[in-house]
């Protein structure tokens, strides 16, 4: 109910007065706390059954400070609890995948109160094989009375399942030599390049905007030659601007007046840090390219102090724009339970997770956002509205700190692939730390997997309201019937198609059950739901 309060038609769009917004956000914060607490409890319940006894070592871990560290850490970004439950030099982490397909991605872990040598950090997977890692922090950071460091690992995790990783201090086989990290000669200020073998990205040496994004497989350029992709500061017409509408564009400025640009190279992540002052505001931008990724990630921290005025002066607006290197006739956006393909429009349209410019060769220049939903596809570019300071009904709607995550990438234009890529970006993998113990579950497993070769997308999994089995909600993003197969971690006792009220559907084709798999057909651009009862 707290979440649905925010779905009132004015509160949902942010078109409300300050008191309504603050009340809605208070309810949402309560709901988020409950959700994150239950997510943490669920992960710990599964972890308690995982047999990690092979990692037990003789180590004095009594009364170590690490157990319980991290309460409240990361809450400003609405992240899940990162409280530590492990101790000693040998640490165990269970990483959980919320997607219905196996994922390989770079996962950031926070390690609390570790007293080993950071230069000798070492990770292995459930099979004892080395796992590639990269330190984010090269020295211990302080959080209240605890210390921590962050590390990236290259994690492969089964569909809607978990994987186990151990961190330890590697043996010292050779005497370590430390070399001067920087060249003693000036390297010059050339264009910055990021290349992970999938995409090749070039940033302009002055503006730090993306001037080239090349697909390494085809060698094709996706950013308009002679133009660039990045942040834009607009002024919009006051008479046509309010909390419901983005007014007519009057002027456009590229935010290229940065004051600091620094690059960090790594085997798992290459990043660029940019500081940008503009008007009365400022912004810190962290751009990164991960191993195996088809998109750049922008982490924005915007200190916004712009405000419209009641005298008819233009209204300030912040946006992100990516111009395509070819003519674009159609744009695609995900909407509740499906997708929408539109012609070019000179106004914002909704997208739950992404907006994509459909290109030739079934490619899509795509923007994915974690918290912004107003996309604009026109003039052969895809854009995203980030902040709009309209004065009605709230005269000061956006002042303060904004944390925004945007991904700019090139994906397959297939609606199913677009949906999966966007969902993976907006739903990061979670993790918990544990101490080793006996159990009955394996070190890694998939609890539910959906076939990749289908147009069907997994919308959600929940316990049935009457307690009989689980409800699996699906929708088909294609304009043709798609067959889907779900594979569970246990054999299936029974399965039936149900409606949105979880009552049996009459007159529909029954799903086919075989062992742990159930198959069904989902109509073109349709939703479907299954009740599945698993064998105990």
């Amino acid at each position: 109910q707290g979440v649905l309060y925010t779905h009132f038609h004015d509160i949902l769009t942010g078109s409300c007065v300050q008191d309504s917004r603050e009340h809605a956000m208070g309810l949402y914060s309560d709901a988020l706390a409950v959700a994150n607490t239950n997510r943490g409890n669920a992960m710990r319940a599964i972890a308690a059954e995982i047999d990690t006894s092979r990692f037990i070592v003789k180590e004095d871990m009594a009364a170590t400070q690490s157990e319980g560290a991290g309460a409240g850490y990361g809450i400003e970004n609405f992240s899940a609890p990162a409280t530590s439950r492990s101790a000693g030099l040998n640490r165990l982490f269970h990483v959980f995948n919320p997607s219905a397909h196996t994922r390989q991605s770079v996962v950031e872990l926070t390690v609390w109160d570790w007293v080993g040598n950071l230069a000798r950090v070492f990770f292995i997977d459930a099979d004892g094989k080395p796992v590639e890692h990269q330190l984010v922090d090269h020295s211990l950071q302080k959080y209240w009375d605890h210390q921590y460091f962050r590390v990236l690992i290259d994690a492969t995790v089964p569909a809607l399942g978990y994987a186990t990783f151990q961190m330890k201090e590697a043996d010292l086989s050779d005497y370590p030599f430390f070399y001067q990290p920087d060249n003693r000669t000036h390297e010059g200020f050339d264009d910055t390049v990021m290349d992970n073998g999938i995409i090749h990205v070039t940033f302009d040496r002055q503006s730090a905007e993306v001037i080239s994004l090349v697909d390494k497989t085809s060698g094709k350029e996706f950013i308009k030659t002679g133009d660039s992709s990045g942040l834009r500061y607009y002024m919009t017409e006051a008479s046509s601007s309010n909390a419901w509408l983005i007014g007519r564009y009057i002027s456009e400025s590229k935010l290229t007046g940065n004051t600091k640009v620094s690059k960090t190279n790594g085997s798992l992540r290459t990043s660029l840090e940019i500081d940008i002052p503009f008007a009365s505001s400022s912004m810190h931008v962290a751009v990164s390219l991960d191993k195996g990724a088809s998109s750049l990630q922008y982490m924005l921290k915007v200190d916004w102090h712009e405000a419209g005025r009641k005298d008819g002066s233009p209204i300030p607006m912040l946006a992100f724009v990516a111009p395509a290197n070819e003519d674009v006739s159609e744009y695609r956006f995900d909407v509740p339970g499906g997708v929408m393909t539109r012609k070019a429009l000179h106004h914002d349209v909704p997208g739950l997770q992404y907006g994509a410019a459909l290109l030739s060769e079934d490619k899509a220049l795509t923007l994915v956002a974690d918290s912004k939903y107003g996309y604009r596809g026109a003039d052969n570019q895809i854009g995203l509205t980030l902040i709009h300071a309209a004065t009605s009904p709230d005269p000061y709607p956006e002042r303060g700190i904004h944390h925004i995550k945007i991904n700019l990438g090139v994906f397959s234009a297939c609606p199913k692939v677009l949906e999966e890529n966007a969902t993976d970006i907006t739903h990061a993998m979670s993790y918990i730390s544990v101490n080793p113990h006996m159990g009955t579950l394996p070190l890694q497993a998939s609890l539910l997997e959906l076939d990749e070769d289908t147009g069907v997308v997994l919308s959600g999994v929940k316990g049935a309201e009457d307690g009989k089995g689980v409800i699996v909600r699906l929708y088909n993003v294609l304009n043709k019937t798609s067959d889907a197969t779900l594979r569970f971690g246990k054999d299936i006792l029974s399965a039936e198609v149900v409606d949105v009220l979880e009552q049996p559907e009459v007159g529909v084709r029954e799903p086919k059950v075989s062992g742990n798999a159930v198959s069904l057909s989902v109509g073109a651009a349709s939703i479907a739901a299954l009740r599945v009862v698993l064998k105990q």
Side-chain angles (χ1 to χ4, degrees), residues 143-155:
Y143 182 78
W144 294 92
D145 287 332
H146 294 273
Q147 293 182 315
Y148 70 90
F149 71 92
R150 294 166 297 164
V151 60
L152 307 174
I153 64 169
D154 185 11

Side-chain angles (χ1 to χ4, degrees), residues 337-358:
V339 298
M340 180 69 73
T341 302
R342 305 175 186 267
K343 299 295 184 181
L345 294 168
H346 286 96
H347 62 75
D348 286 14
V349 297
L352 288 179
Q353 297 179 115
Y354 73 82
L358 302 185

